[in-house]
Amino acid sequence: ILNVEQSPQSLHVQEGDSTNFTCSFPSSNFYALHWYRWETAKSPEALFVMTLNGDEKKKGRISATLNTKEGYSYLYIKGSQPEDSATYLCAHRGSTLGRLYFGRGTQLTVWP
Amino acid sequence: GAVVSQHPSRVICKSGTSVKIECRSLDFQATTMFWYRQFPKQSLMLMATSNEGSKATYEQGVEKDKFLINHASLTLSTLTVTSAHPEDSSFYICSAGQTQRFSGNTIYFGEGSWLTVV
């Protein structure tokens, strides 16, 4: 069982604020790092699959960076909107197989 | 994007009975699917890897006789919780990718199933 940690556990911000959260993971046996956005009663929505050290990916106002040598990834949301409210999950993948090891998630609430 | 559908979304069963949860890939073939379980305030925990046409591979500590997995076709995997007990009450969710080795590909999740054993 891999130890994947996410912080903070929860976050409350005002609309328009920018925010970021952290995912830390074992740097050994690394293949990919997955980020998901999960709203209640819906399927987790895939945001990014990151594989290379130094990777930076962007999707609209959301971006992510990856440091495989030190074992962490940051997710950034610029100008948060109420519709960004969700739980953000990261997951470590150690091989080409699709087995993922998840953190507990960061629950983001954006107040209008 | 690809869609994975899970059914039922909620189920209540009596202690001692069995309950089946289905996971379907709707617009792609999935030779491998994965089953996870989540207890309150915990992370999604991988239970097993479901392989089409062969036996599932279980994670350490997961009872294979209790959690029966069948992957009879390229679009359907089922998880059967046998002789359910209240401690099996949990959130169960499946995932699938578009190729057997998922190299660089996104992995898609179903909506999850809430199981309550009374």
Side-chain angles (χ1 to χ4, degrees):
Chain A
I1 297 177
L2 286 170
N3 194 22
V4 179
E5 301 284 345
Q6 287 188 251
S7 63
Q9 196 171 356
S10 65
L11 197 53
H12 296 253
V13 301
Q14 286 292 131
E15 182 175 357
D17 288 349
S18 293
T19 186
N20 65 86
F21 11 98
T22 306
C23 173
S24 62
F25 53 87
S27 53
S28 58
N29 295 325
F30 178 85
Y31 180 79
L33 194 284
H34 292 245
W35 280 101
Y36 289 88
R37 177 176 177 274
W38 196 6
E39 290 183 75
T40 304
K42 294 185 179 180
S43 303
E45 173 195 354
L47 291 175
F48 305 113
V49 181
M50 309 182 78
T51 56
L52 299 175
N53 184 46
D55 242 358
E56 288 189 35
K57 295 209 171 182
K58 190 174 180 182
K59 187 176 182 179
R61 293 179 291 100
I62 305 176
S63 60
T65 61
L66 179 67
N67 183 322
T68 59
K69 293 184 179 178
E70 295 182 40
Y72 65 83
S73 176
Y74 294 133
L75 188 80
Y76 301 90
I77 302 179
K78 186 177 179 182
S80 303
Q81 299 297 308
E83 55 265 31
D84 296 328
S85 297
T87 296
Y88 291 82
L89 301 175
C90 72
H92 174 282
R93 183 164 122 206
S95 71
T96 54
L97 297 176
R99 298 162 68 194
L100 300 179
Y101 295 92
F102 283 87
R104 295 186 185 187
T106 293
Q107 188 172 15
L108 174 67
T109 304
V110 183
W111 299 102
Chain B
V3 178
V4 175
S5 178
Q6 201 170 327
H7 179 80
S9 57
R10 290 184 180 274
V11 58
I12 300 172
C13 71
K14 289 186 177 180
S15 188
T17 62
S18 296
V19 62
K20 182 186 289 187
I21 301 170
E22 294 186 346
C23 178
R24 293 181 185 273
S25 55
L26 297 185
D27 53 0
F28 65 98
Q29 293 183 333
T31 52
T32 306
M33 293 183 176
F34 302 88
W35 286 96
Y36 295 81
R37 177 171 54 180
Q38 185 181 38
F39 291 109
K41 299 191 183 301
Q42 301 296 313
S43 60
L44 289 170
M45 292 293 292
L46 180 65
M47 297 174 67
T49 303
S50 172
N51 303 299
E52 188 267 334
S54 65
K55 289 183 179 180
T57 306
Y58 291 82
E59 296 296 300
Q60 193 174 6
V62 177
E63 299 174 61
K64 60 181 70 174
D65 294 331
K66 180 164 196 57
F67 299 100
L68 300 180
I69 291 172
N70 184 277
H71 195 151
S73 79
L74 287 171
T75 59
L76 175 63
S77 173
T78 60
L79 169 68
T80 301
V81 183
T82 62
S83 186
H85 288 281
E87 56 264 32
D88 298 323
S89 298
S90 186
F91 179 77
Y92 295 86
I93 191 168
C94 67
S95 71
Q98 291 183 276
T99 66
Q100 189 170 17
R101 290 294 169 177
F102 307 120
S103 52
N105 284 353
T106 301
I107 296 168
Y108 301 94
F109 280 81
E111 306 94 330
S113 301
W114 286 99
L115 170 64
T116 303
V117 184
V118 297

